[in-house]
Amino acid sequence: MFYCITRTLTNSMETVLVTVALYYYPWPKCKSTSLTKFLVFASLSVLVRPTAAIIWLLMCSWHLQQSSHNIFKILKQYFFIGSVMLVFSCIIDRWYYGDWILVQYNFIEFNVLKGGGSFYGTHPWHWYITQGYPVIMTSHLFPFVMGAWKARNKVLLFLIVWTIFFYSFLSHKEFRFLLPALPMSMHYCGVYFNSLCRKPRIKKKKLKKRSESKQTKTTSSSDSLVSSDGSTTPIIHQSTGTVHVIDGAIDESQEVDGAAEVTDNTQSSSPSSKSQSEDPFEKQQRKHKHNLTVAKYLVFILIGLNLIPAMYFGVLHQRGTTVVMKYLYDESLEKDMDVLFLMPCHSTPYYSYLHQNITMRFLTCEPNLKQEEDYIDEADIFYEDPEDWLKIEYKQQKRQLPSHLVYFNTLQFDISLFLSQSGYRQCGKFFHTHLPEGRTGSHVIVSCR
């Protein structure tokens, strides 16, 4: 959540809207519900990312089933708010694209009907179950399982299973697609911690047995007994539960909880009798204290397991592609620039960070929208022979060379000859990651001329 929700992903906005919509959902016997607000936020979540319809297909069906006595009125409200939000979306897209277009249908057509998402990679059907969901939960998986087991209301649990089930049919899978399921999962983590922090209940059977044992002990006590050797014997008063030894010299009182107990000094009570006579309230306090200790340890463990990775992945890991944009922004204030990013597509935040009117270009990785045979995207063509691509793209076509080249250090050796021949020099180098992989290097380099 720390890593993904802060980014400008449609999944982030989908997660926020789904969570707010669930808050206003017309839950039975809940005061915070608002059908109008629920429908507005639910509609927005579908417009932003149509996959959210999987969630609302189940929840809206359940709502209509619960409101069968007033179903036609509710259906009118569904239709009215849904239509207004759809028209609002179409107007915005008309203004942006300059033509009437239904982007939600294009999304479904490309990703679901045509399977275009598989261009970016495919995974087996069980990936979300065996890898996707366990990885995004990680340290919270244990409290989630315990909370789901203890919870009385398992609607959200069924909704999580429902979502994962339908997402499993899509060939292209990513961790971020499960982001809307995280707030629902955290609900059950909260249920588990709540069960640890509240006082355990005392079962009525134990209280009943305790009261019966008191009555039995009091009725079986006698007024006084004298032994054959003339020694004195305690007298037990039923009303007060007080023990008096009649000897003239001793008059000792001992208050007993509910009934008097007489034991010989030479005898010891058995463990079974102690457990039977144990006060349920004392047992409740001891168990409550133990549960609070467990909860505190778990909180510290979760903080340790999440805070350190959050700081590393949020501050250090893959920071180079953002830091280089800050460098380019500062450079753009003083000079005209023409930047070429020789990186895997969408490696940098691009104009969303720079906000300057300068020319920039990156290697594209568009899917095969025109259904061409033996299609290879621009990024793959470049990485087959980087130096040859640069010569064809600029020198043979007599294009003006860009003022700045941005690339990972893994590419430096392959284009070093082109850089020296074209008059480029290194003017910036920024740390990116401790875990370089494939086309992504440990540092981002800027060459300028």
Side-chain angles (χ1 to χ4, degrees):
M1 189 64 74
F2 182 88
Y3 188 78
C4 290
I5 204 69
T6 57
R7 305 179 188 278
T8 52
L9 302 169
T10 54
N11 308 92
S12 301
M13 182 56 67
E14 176 195 16
T15 301
V16 172
L17 294 172
V18 166
T19 305
V20 175
L22 285 174
Y23 175 80
Y24 289 115
Y25 180 83
W27 302 99
K29 300 178 181 179
C30 186
K31 295 181 179 179
S32 65
T33 63
S34 172
L35 182 58
T36 302
K37 292 181 181 179
F38 158 68
L39 291 175
V40 168
F41 286 108
S43 301
L44 279 174
S45 67
V46 176
L47 294 175
V48 169
R49 192 167 179 85
T51 50
I54 295 174
I55 296 173
W56 304 127
L57 179 64
L58 177 67
M59 298 304 292
C60 291
S61 299
W62 183 48
H63 175 231
L64 292 174
Q65 182 185 6
Q66 297 290 322
S67 309
S68 56
H69 61 284
N70 203 17
I71 190 169
F72 291 106
K73 182 179 179 180
I74 294 176
L75 280 174
K76 287 181 181 178
Q77 198 166 357
Y78 270 50
F79 178 77
F80 175 74
I81 295 178
S83 300
V84 170
M85 299 307 296
L86 182 60
V87 170
F88 174 71
S89 172
C90 291
I91 292 173
I92 292 178
D93 293 330
R94 172 69 173 83
W95 172 70
Y96 184 82
Y97 291 107
D99 195 8
W100 291 106
I101 187 171
L102 190 61
V103 295
Q104 290 76 24
Y105 173 77
N106 291 345
F107 179 94
I108 296 172
E109 181 185 30
F110 176 78
N111 290 286
V112 180
L113 302 180
K114 294 183 177 179
S118 59
F119 176 81
Y120 298 101
T122 59
H123 297 84
W125 66 269
H126 56 78
W127 188 82
Y128 281 130
I129 302 171
T130 57
Q131 296 183 53
Y133 189 75
V135 166
I136 67 168
M137 291 297 293
T138 51
S139 57
H140 286 77
L141 194 60
F142 171 74
F144 165 75
V145 172
M146 295 299 295
W149 177 66
K150 289 176 175 289
R152 294 181 179 179
N153 190 336
K154 301 187 186 297
V155 174
L156 291 180
L157 177 63
F158 188 76
L159 186 58
I160 294 169
V161 175
W162 169 275
T163 304
I164 294 175
F165 173 76
F166 274 94
Y167 279 11
S168 297
F169 286 101
L170 302 175
S171 57
H172 178 61
K173 301 175 177 66
E174 293 186 34
F175 293 113
R176 62 188 177 95
F177 293 167
L178 292 179
L179 204 57
L182 263 183
M184 305 180 212
S185 304
M186 292 302 132
H187 164 75
Y188 288 105
C189 295
V191 170
Y192 174 62
F193 277 100
N194 183 56
S195 69
L196 291 177
C197 295
R198 68 165 178 255
K199 285 188 176 182
R201 293 180 179 179
I202 302 177
K203 294 182 179 180
K204 292 182 179 180
K205 291 183 179 180
K206 289 185 178 180
L207 291 175
K208 187 177 180 181
K209 287 181 179 180
R210 182 168 178 258
S211 61
E212 288 177 353
S213 64
K214 289 179 185 178
Q215 294 176 1
T216 304
K217 289 178 181 178
T218 53
T219 53
S220 61
S221 57
S222 57
D223 286 336
S224 66
L225 289 172
V226 180
S227 61
S228 59
D229 60 356
S231 60
T232 58
T233 305
I235 297 177
I236 307 169
H237 294 278
Q238 299 177 15
S239 58
T240 63
T242 306
V243 180
H244 296 276
V245 180
I246 304 174
D247 195 10
I250 302 176
D251 189 2
E252 182 176 316
S253 298
Q254 180 183 359
E255 291 295 329
V256 183
D257 185 13
E261 295 183 4
V262 182
T263 57
D264 189 81
N265 292 334
T266 59
Q267 295 177 350
S268 60
S269 58
S270 62
S272 60
S273 62
K274 282 186 177 181
S275 61
Q276 292 176 359
S277 60
E278 185 178 15
D279 190 347
F281 294 102
E282 292 179 1
K283 187 176 181 181
Q284 179 201 41
Q285 291 294 333
R286 188 168 60 255
K287 187 176 181 181
H288 181 49
K289 187 176 180 180
H290 170 74
N291 288 345
L292 287 177
T293 303
V294 172
K296 290 177 182 178
Y297 279 122
L298 282 176
V299 167
F300 284 123
I301 290 172
L302 290 177
I303 290 174
L305 291 177
N306 287 274
L307 184 61
I308 296 174
M311 294 302 296
Y312 174 77
F313 288 106
V315 177
L316 294 176
H317 182 62
Q318 295 183 350
R319 64 176 304 193
T321 51
T322 303
V323 175
V324 74
M325 299 308 295
K326 176 65 169 63
Y327 169 82
L328 294 175
Y329 173 81
D330 294 337
E331 288 283 298
S332 68
L333 298 177
E334 301 176 358
K335 61 184 76 171
D336 293 331
M337 299 175 62
D338 182 0
V339 186
L340 173 62
F341 294 91
L342 300 175
M343 297 173 155
C345 59
H346 308 297
S347 293
T348 69
Y350 216 54
Y351 281 114
S352 65
Y353 188 100
L354 199 63
H355 297 295
Q356 291 293 322
N357 186 21
I358 63 174
T359 303
M360 296 196 297
R361 178 187 176 186
F362 67 91
L363 302 173
T364 62
C365 53
E366 297 173 353
N368 189 11
L369 298 174
K370 297 180 180 179
Q371 302 299 319
E372 299 176 3
E373 293 185 5
D374 301 324
Y375 174 78
I376 304 176
D377 63 58
E378 186 180 39
D380 287 338
I381 294 174
F382 168 78
Y383 279 103
E384 285 181 357
D385 193 339
E387 190 171 352
D388 188 57
W389 185 89
L390 287 168
K391 289 179 180 179
I392 296 173
E393 194 72 17
Y394 287 96
K395 291 189 175 181
Q396 290 186 12
Q397 298 186 19
K398 296 181 180 181
R399 290 183 180 176
Q400 184 179 357
L401 290 169
S403 61
H404 292 72
L405 296 179
V406 183
Y407 53 93
F408 287 113
N409 61 321
T410 52
L411 190 65
Q412 189 173 18
F413 177 78
D414 296 327
I415 62 173
S416 58
L417 182 60
F418 175 84
L419 294 175
S420 60
Q421 291 177 348
S422 304
Y424 285 98
R425 59 180 176 81
Q426 180 175 309
C427 52
K429 187 175 182 179
F430 310 96
F431 170 77
H432 184 62
T433 179
H434 293 105
L435 307 170
E437 182 182 8
R439 297 171 179 175
T440 303
S442 61
H443 289 76
V444 176
I445 299 176
V446 180
S447 293
C448 53
R449 61 192 298 268

